[in-house]
Amino acid sequence: TMAAVIIGAGPAGLFSALALVEKGEKDIVIIEQGRDLDERISWKEKGEKPLKGEPGPLLTGFGGAGAFSDGKLILSGDVGGNLGEIIEKEELARLIEEVNEIFLSLGAPPDLYGEESEKLLNLKRNAQRADLELLETKIRHLGTDGCQNILRTLRERLMPHVKLITGTKAVEINTDRGVVTGVTAGKDRGFDAPYVIAAPGRIGASWMAGEAKRLSLVSIPSPVDIGVRVEVPAEVTKELTDAAYEAKLIHYSKTFDDRVRTFCMNPYGEVVMEEAGNLITVNGHSYKGRRSENTNFAILVSTTFTEPFDDPINYGRHIGALANLLGKGIIVQRLGDLRAGRRSTPSRINKSIVRPTLKEATPGDLSFVLPYRYLKDIMEMLEALDHLAEGINSDHTLLYGVEVKFYSHRLKVSASMESALKGLFTIGDGAGISRGLLQAAASGLIAGREVAGRLKGERGKAGVGF
């Protein structure tokens, strides 16, 4: 019997392991469906195709998704998750600082973006005039290349004490009379443990939702974010990115009063494809070591569905699948073509001032893919942003579709991240607790410490280990 089984080797799972190891625990197993770190890096660099049914290297494997490929630490309790609704604000602020310190000790760069400045104050004023709200956040950017070194150091810290099993999918969480007893994974491998920490990540969101249903765990419906990735010349957004690096802007659309936001802004970055099973969606990265001439960012519309529909994940998948069907993957369209009611063609894309960084995207027409409501929201957001950074709403601006962010049904958990099922802790993006690296890692520390404390207490009572 192990002391604890952790599902998923993303930031949430790894930080829960770190908390357990720091308290002297050794009988810990981490089950990860993707590949180990070095294999994952070489796989990504060689651009090999995944095996049939295997998710690509960007979303699974040691390090998880965001901590492997872009690495933005947002030092704010208001952005990147719901921990502020589960634990006290002061406690969250302390944890954020602690996670920040751990990342620094693993080799994260010391420089912070978004510090208070005259530029930032001006940006805030101008945003308000344009009907936009600027969320003030301090950001530590690790960069895709920097992420991998940090993960290597973290792996070295954990590995002597933790058993890592890669290429193995968690199948089922086992229970007996309302108490967790372990996990079945891969081809009927059983791992017995009195504690299971489930951190399946965004890629495991639908698996987690299925398990929650099977185990009768209460969940709160979460939104789905659907939109496009926008690519413009870096000069157009320079004032924004110089002041805030990643400007997080919120707009309430005039027609539908939907919450529309910018997300994951990458100065001098590249647009990339993400493969999740049979779905290809778009995302963006920026590297520490190389720069393009463009900046890319997402415009996302949040929708929370109410009765009778409660499957936002499937809704988002269907829209993503429609883009894949029409574009054999990702569709790219010039904003001018979208406004003129025509598809983009390779020759029209070639005429654009903006050179696409994602060469594999198919020129097409996003109005065949996105519902009117989303298109209208996105167009209104581009108009608002143009008041803040002239040129964003240009005919030459490129839109890639679709970008979908799935947030799992948020599971009801205690302040120590324990679900209603005794011994089962659900953390990170896969449980709908976080939406970013920092809060994912913080939820991992909470769960890991709680489990370590209980193991110590039980040993004290029983006088023996597991």
Side-chain angles (χ1 to χ4, degrees), residues 349-380:
I349 295 286
N350 283 340
K351 279 183 203 155
S352 182
I353 291 168
V354 190
R355 294 263 158 265
T357 53
L358 179 64
K359 305 284 181 265
E360 297 89 337
T362 306
D365 189 348
L366 289 165
S367 66
F368 279 124
V369 175
L370 288 164
Y372 172 72
R373 182 171 190 143
Y374 288 115
L375 266 183
K376 189 79 178 146
D377 286 345
I378 290 163
M379 306 285 258
E380 287 178 9

Side-chain angles (χ1 to χ4, degrees), residues 93-382:
R94 262 200 309 278
L95 268 172
I96 285 173
E97 193 38 53
E98 211 174 330
V99 172
N100 180 36
E101 290 297 328
I102 293 171
F103 269 102
L104 285 169
S105 78
L106 294 167
D111 40 334
L112 270 181
Y113 296 98
E115 296 268 40
E116 195 67 53
S117 67
E118 194 54 43
K119 276 182 182 174
L120 199 63
L121 281 171
N122 273 336
L123 187 60
K124 207 173 172 181
R125 273 187 220 112
N126 293 337
Q128 284 166 342
R129 288 179 192 134
D131 275 346
L132 293 160
E133 181 192 349
L134 176 72
L135 294 181
E136 286 184 64
T137 53
K138 290 190 186 122
I139 294 173
R140 191 177 302 292
H141 183 224
L142 312 176
T144 300
D145 20 18
C147 281
Q148 293 166 6
N149 298 328
I150 288 166
L151 288 172
R152 195 163 277 123
T153 311
L154 179 55
R155 194 183 179 289
E156 282 161 15
R157 227 181 251 192
L158 291 174
M159 271 321 110
H161 317 286
V162 174
K163 187 176 185 191
L164 175 68
I165 297 168
T166 54
T168 303
K169 225 174 175 166
V171 178
E172 228 171 60
I173 293 162
N174 304 327
T175 61
D176 182 21
R177 295 181 214 138
V179 178
V180 152
T181 57
V183 175
T184 303
K187 291 194 166 52
D188 295 329
R189 281 178 80 177
F191 298 92
D192 295 334
Y195 297 106
V196 171
I197 299 175
R202 224 169 265 177
I203 189 112
S206 46
W207 172 80
M208 191 76 240
E211 282 297 88
K213 207 169 190 174
R214 186 178 66 81
L215 299 166
S216 307
L217 299 175
V218 179
S219 62
I220 304 152
S222 286
V224 60
D225 280 348
I226 296 171
V228 294
R229 186 144 289 258
V230 180
E231 190 164 41
V232 294
E235 284 304 312
V236 167
T237 55
K238 193 170 179 338
E239 278 180 36
L240 284 185
T241 54
D242 279 359
Y245 188 74
E246 178 174 346
K248 289 192 174 293
L249 294 153
I250 295 167
H251 177 67
Y252 287 90
S253 65
K254 291 188 173 46
T255 307
F256 291 104
D257 198 30
D258 286 333
R259 185 177 189 268
V260 191
R261 65 189 176 109
T262 61
F263 174 80
C264 184
M265 197 171 272
N266 295 294
Y268 307 99
E270 292 170 23
V271 177
V272 296
M273 285 198 297
E274 277 188 346
E275 293 182 45
N278 352 353
L279 191 67
I280 300 171
T281 55
V282 67
N283 207 336
H285 291 167
S286 50
Y287 296 84
K288 280 276 185 205
R290 68 170 193 258
R291 297 168 74 141
S292 76
E293 292 174 2
N294 299 341
T295 288
N296 67 72
F297 59 92
I299 290 180
L300 297 175
V301 183
S302 295
T303 311
T304 305
F305 292 100
T306 49
E307 293 287 329
F309 180 70
D310 72 342
D311 194 356
I313 290 176
N314 244 338
Y315 180 76
R317 277 186 180 288
H318 275 86
I319 290 182
L322 197 51
N324 292 179
L325 180 72
L326 286 169
K328 304 271 188 288
I330 299 298
I331 291 174
V332 62
Q333 187 171 21
R334 290 190 317 166
L335 180 54
D337 292 333
L338 179 64
R339 276 198 284 248
R342 63 187 185 199
R343 67 166 287 190
S344 285
T345 57
S347 68
R348 283 179 187 143
I349 295 286
N350 283 340
K351 279 183 203 155
S352 182
I353 291 168
V354 190
R355 294 263 158 265
T357 53
L358 179 64
K359 305 284 181 265
E360 297 89 337
T362 306
D365 189 348
L366 289 165
S367 66
F368 279 124
V369 175
L370 288 164
Y372 172 72
R373 182 171 190 143
Y374 288 115
L375 266 183
K376 189 79 178 146
D377 286 345
I378 290 163
M379 306 285 258
E380 287 178 9
M381 178 60 150
L382 287 164

Side-chain angles (χ1 to χ4, degrees), residues 9-16 63-67 103 154 427 436-438 440-442 444:
L14 293 174
F15 270 69
S16 65
F103 269 102
L154 179 55
I427 56 172
L437 285 192
L438 207 112

